[in-house]
Every structure is written in structure tokens, then in C-alpha cells.
Amino acid sequence: MSRMEDFSDEYLNAFIDGELDDEERELLLDELRRNETLNARLCDLQKVRELLQHAYAHPPEPPRDSALTPPRRRSRLVTSIAASIALGVGVLLGWNMHDIRQPAGNLLEIAQSLQLGGATGAADNEPWRVVLHVTTADSHRLATLLDEAEGLLARHAGGAARPVAVEVLANGRGLDLLRVDTTPFAERIRELQARYDNLTFKACSNAIKRLKREKNIDVILLPEAKVVPTAIGEVIQRQREGWAYVQI
Amino acid sequence: MNPLKLFNRQNELRKSLGGFRPRMYRIAYSWSHDPALADEVTQEALTKALRKLDQVRKPEAIEKWLFGILANCWRDHFRRQRPMEDIDDWPMSDDKTPEQQHEQQCLVDTIRAAIAKLPEGQRQTVTLVDLEGFSYAEVSQILQIPIGTVMSRLCRARKALAGNLLQYKSRPAEGAGRIRRIS
């Protein structure tokens, strides 16, 4: 086989898919060195493959509710798996979950009343630790969050007081709080961070990737923000460690 | 085989199933272009796989086995929907012409639309080869078709895609040429 018309499209496809044996591959490679048209045909097929791979590099996420509310045709097994996950997450998060949109006292009171350690009668010197999970971009609520966090930290800044730790965890719309181009509170966060080393700001990596994928936004975070792989993973970890959890 | 070893192996396989989910979802999405349906078919396939896990003789062949189940679930889904049609001859319907796609949507959407227009069998074959890197022999087993059919479907699919997509890329240059002639 030496003339280009002997190389069918099937042959070229088999070449780019690695399906030819050494001898067949050599025949084609030899012809490619001198045959421009053959090169162009091969190049087109390779481009098609690249385009296809490009098109599905980031398929859209499955509908959010499908994991927890299975459609009608799902089997009982899947239903029970989903129910167990929902129950597990519910028990883990919902047990102490609180929303400051509801009438409630300040964060300190919430942390005191909700923290697992406190509920089980932990020692007095056990620190109060709270995760503030931010999922909103509402600047009024964000301001309230920072006010409350600052109040809590300030009240316990002295050496004699019970130690506290506050972690602000942002995902979804809440990511706006920690983005350079969207946050109204860059200066305030910088000041708070400089004053309190028991305050941390964390951003969800998944949310950052989602913004890139869906809106082509390259997220630049404030220098104070650290990145965690997933917000939900962070919350579960903190809950295990006995932190209180408050969703903003 | 030692029953304890067998049990451990089954346990490991069970744990590994979840890791395949994103890949199976991606392939199901490339077949359906419907996130909810892709998720449902993936879920169904994983559920079946869990139930039939004891059929896996070689753990290294689990990918091929899983995608075979996925292809079966997909076929069953369409049997339920369109019992009298051969899915190989059934192109996905799409109201928009390629020109509209070209004008209105970005490159990714245009490529997906071109793939959605391929007949079902061609779309399955080309996505399994290009996205998952399965060999022709593996695709033949996954889709339960002869290897010659894999090759011819792949060939037709890529030819059709080249006709649609590579033309799409050359159009702006032609337009630019016309403008130069007018001025």
C-alpha cells in the first residue's frame, strides 16, 4: 500500500485511535511524510476529536435536587441510599443548624447554645468555636455577620476570657464576600484579620470552579482568604470537631 | 477463591463504583444533552451495577462492564419511550439550524449541537472512543455490535462532524474576503 487513495477514512481513524499494528502504522507514517492531502485529511479527523473532547470537558452539573429527591422511576435501593444520605447530612448539619435571619441573639449566644461541647457539658476552658457559613451576597447581612463576628472576638480578646475561634466559610453567592472585585468589605476584612488571628476566612474551591465554568469568571480572592476543597466537607469536618454551625 | 478474599474484593469494587459516576454522567450527557436524564440513567446503571457486582470476574475490566450497563440502561430507556424504532436510525431532533447555532451560541454549544444531530449509534460510538478512550474491541462489547460496525459508525460520525464543524470555522474568513472585494 503506497498511494494515498489506498488509505481509507477507516484506516486514518484507526491510526489516530491507536488501533493499527506497527507495520500498518509505518506504512501510513511513511506516506504522510510526502503527501500533503493525506496530512490534511488526518488533521481534520484529529481536530474533530479535539473539538468533541473540548465540548464535554465540563458537562453541566446534574440538577441539584436529583441527589436528594429521586425521580419516580428510581428503585427502592436508590431511594433508600438517597434518603440515608439526606438523613445523615440532616442529622449532621441540621442538628445544630441555625439561621440568623430568624429572631435570635447575637452570634456569641448562638455559639454558646449550639456548640456540641457546651451541650455535653465540656470544661469551662474549652474554646467556643463557630463556623459562619455564608451563602448570600446581601451586603446588609454580610455587614451584620462581620459586626457579630467582631463583637464576639472583641469580647473574648482578653486573656482571662474563654477562648473563641471563628471561621467564615463562603460558597455560592457568599463567595462575593471574599472576591476582590465584588466585596464591599475588603478593608474591614483586612483590619479584622490583622487584629484577630483566631478568625479565618475560607472559600469553597468548587464554587470558584463553578464560576469559571458557568460564567467564565476568574476569581481573585482577598489575600486573607484560604481555599478549601468543598464547603460541605469543611462543615462536616468542623462539626465532627465540635464546632457550632451558623448559616448566614 | 478464598471467601474472605472474595468478600474483600467485592467490598473494594463497591467502594470504587462511585468514582466512575462523573465519567458515566459525562457520557450519558453526551448521548442525551439533558442533565436530568443523564443523571437518572447514570443512577440506574450504578444501581444495577451494585446489584450485579458478583458478576465481575476481573476487576480491571470493570470500566467496560459499567459502561456496558450504562448503554443497556440507555437503550432500555428508549425502548420504553419509542418501542418500534431502531435507535441507530433515529437522529436527535433539534429545532435550530446549524446557522442559528452558529450565530447564537458559543463553540461548545455548536459542537454539542452537531453531536446531538448524529444518529444515536454513531453518537454513542464516537463519544465512547473519544471521551473515554475505549478501544474498538471494547466499544464493540459495550454496545454489543460487531467491530466492523464500530469502525464504520466512527468513520461516518467523524466525517459528519468534520463537515459541520470545520466548515463552521472557515466561514468568517470567506466573509472577510467578500468585504475586501467590495471595498
Side-chain angles (χ1 to χ4, degrees):
Chain A
M1 193 188 293
S2 59
R3 291 168 304 138
M4 70 154 279
E5 54 266 35
D6 291 325
F7 293 102
S8 63
D9 280 344
E10 276 91 350
Y11 199 102
L12 298 186
N13 276 310
F15 174 76
I16 63 172
D17 294 325
E19 296 277 340
L20 296 181
D21 63 28
D22 287 349
E23 197 184 337
E24 291 168 325
R25 197 178 309 120
E26 197 177 323
L27 270 176
L28 180 60
L29 285 170
D30 189 41
E31 184 64 25
L32 281 170
R33 287 189 302 134
R34 49 182 171 263
N35 191 324
E36 205 176 317
T37 318
L38 190 62
N39 264 302
R41 281 172 61 205
L42 189 68
C43 199
D44 277 0
L45 292 173
Q46 277 168 330
K47 271 188 218 156
V48 166
R49 188 166 66 163
E50 295 287 331
L51 287 169
L52 193 146
Q53 287 168 349
H54 174 67
Y56 299 100
H58 302 291
E61 300 264 326
R64 182 173 277 201
D65 59 346
S66 64
L68 297 181
T69 52
R72 286 176 308 246
R73 274 200 300 276
R74 272 192 193 155
S75 70
R76 272 189 307 176
L77 177 62
V78 179
T79 309
S80 58
I81 290 171
S84 311
I85 294 169
L87 185 64
V89 172
V91 167
L92 208 56
L93 300 184
W95 182 255
N96 291 327
M97 190 182 285
H98 199 101
D99 189 329
I100 64 169
R101 282 169 288 183
Q102 307 292 326
N106 60 31
L107 286 181
L108 176 62
E109 288 166 4
I110 295 168
Q112 283 171 333
S113 61
L114 293 182
Q115 191 166 350
L116 286 174
T120 52
D124 279 351
N125 58 358
E126 188 77 19
W128 279 318
R129 299 174 301 181
V130 59
V131 177
L132 306 176
H133 184 191
V134 191
T135 56
T136 174
D138 180 342
S139 59
H140 178 68
R141 281 198 202 145
L142 295 178
T144 310
L145 156 83
L146 294 174
D147 288 344
E148 293 280 356
E150 185 172 9
L152 194 156
L153 291 159
R155 216 176 308 174
H156 290 266
R162 189 168 179 165
V164 296
V166 177
E167 182 170 302
V168 176
L169 175 66
N171 79 329
R173 298 291 316 278
L175 202 61
D176 285 9
L177 177 70
L178 301 178
R179 283 172 55 193
V180 168
D181 53 344
T182 53
T183 183
F185 302 108
E187 185 58 23
R188 180 133 189 241
I189 288 172
R190 195 184 62 74
E191 283 172 13
L192 280 172
Q193 186 68 93
R195 216 178 319 149
Y196 302 109
D197 55 7
N198 48 348
L199 169 67
T200 47
F201 293 92
K202 291 186 175 174
C204 171
S205 165
N206 275 352
I208 295 170
K209 285 182 201 152
R210 198 173 303 126
L211 274 181
K212 173 67 184 166
R213 193 167 62 236
E214 292 176 2
K215 298 186 180 167
N216 200 26
I217 295 173
D218 284 310
V219 172
I220 301 171
L221 295 173
L222 296 174
E224 290 77 19
K226 298 179 179 67
V227 177
V228 292
T230 66
I232 191 81
E234 180 73 10
V235 169
I236 289 171
Q237 179 61 28
R238 288 309 192 202
Q239 288 264 300
R240 280 189 184 148
E241 294 166 359
W243 290 56
Y245 172 87
V246 181
Q247 189 185 34
I248 311 301
Chain B
M1 185 186 276
N2 180 335
L4 190 64
K5 268 190 183 169
L6 185 67
F7 177 77
N8 281 341
R9 202 194 66 175
Q10 294 280 313
N11 231 1
E12 278 168 22
L13 285 177
R14 192 171 293 119
K15 281 183 199 160
S16 71
L17 279 187
F20 290 100
R21 189 189 184 95
R23 289 170 52 192
M24 293 168 72
Y25 169 76
R26 182 174 66 160
I27 279 286
Y29 176 74
S30 76
W31 293 349
S32 66
H33 296 97
D34 174 347
L37 178 58
D39 190 45
E40 187 182 333
V41 174
T42 305
Q43 186 79 2
E44 204 177 312
L46 281 169
T47 309
K48 276 190 182 162
L50 259 179
R51 251 186 261 136
K52 297 179 178 174
L53 208 58
D54 55 343
Q55 289 179 1
V56 181
R57 297 280 170 260
K58 297 178 189 165
E60 62 274 16
I62 192 167
E63 290 183 17
K64 189 175 62 185
W65 178 74
L66 273 176
F67 280 87
I69 294 176
L70 185 73
N72 277 338
C73 288
W74 178 249
R75 197 161 36 231
D76 290 348
H77 177 83
F78 280 92
R79 279 205 185 117
R80 285 196 295 262
Q81 303 292 315
R82 297 167 170 266
M84 300 306 288
E85 289 183 35
D86 181 349
I87 57 169
D88 191 27
D89 300 328
W90 183 63
M92 292 285 277
S93 64
D94 193 327
D95 294 332
K96 291 178 182 166
T97 63
E99 282 73 22
Q100 284 169 323
Q101 295 282 357
H102 173 67
E103 284 166 12
Q104 293 167 8
Q105 297 184 13
C106 68
L107 179 63
V108 165
D109 288 342
T110 308
I111 304 166
R112 287 181 185 170
I115 291 161
K117 282 178 185 300
L118 292 174
E120 181 71 33
Q122 289 182 29
R123 184 165 59 250
Q124 285 188 308
T125 307
V126 75
T127 50
L128 283 169
V129 172
D130 283 348
L131 294 181
E132 283 303 320
F134 282 119
S135 69
Y136 294 176
E138 286 170 327
V139 175
S140 152
Q141 288 171 32
I142 289 169
L143 298 178
Q144 296 171 9
I145 51 175
I147 201 160
T149 310
V150 174
M151 292 176 75
S152 61
R153 280 185 185 176
L154 190 63
C155 191
R156 277 180 282 154
R158 284 188 178 149
K159 208 167 188 172
L161 291 173
N164 277 329
L165 297 172
L166 302 181
Q167 201 180 7
Y168 158 86
K169 293 187 107 182
S170 67
R171 275 180 200 158
E174 288 168 16
R178 278 200 297 276
I179 290 169
R180 277 201 299 275
R181 278 200 298 276
I182 290 165
S183 64

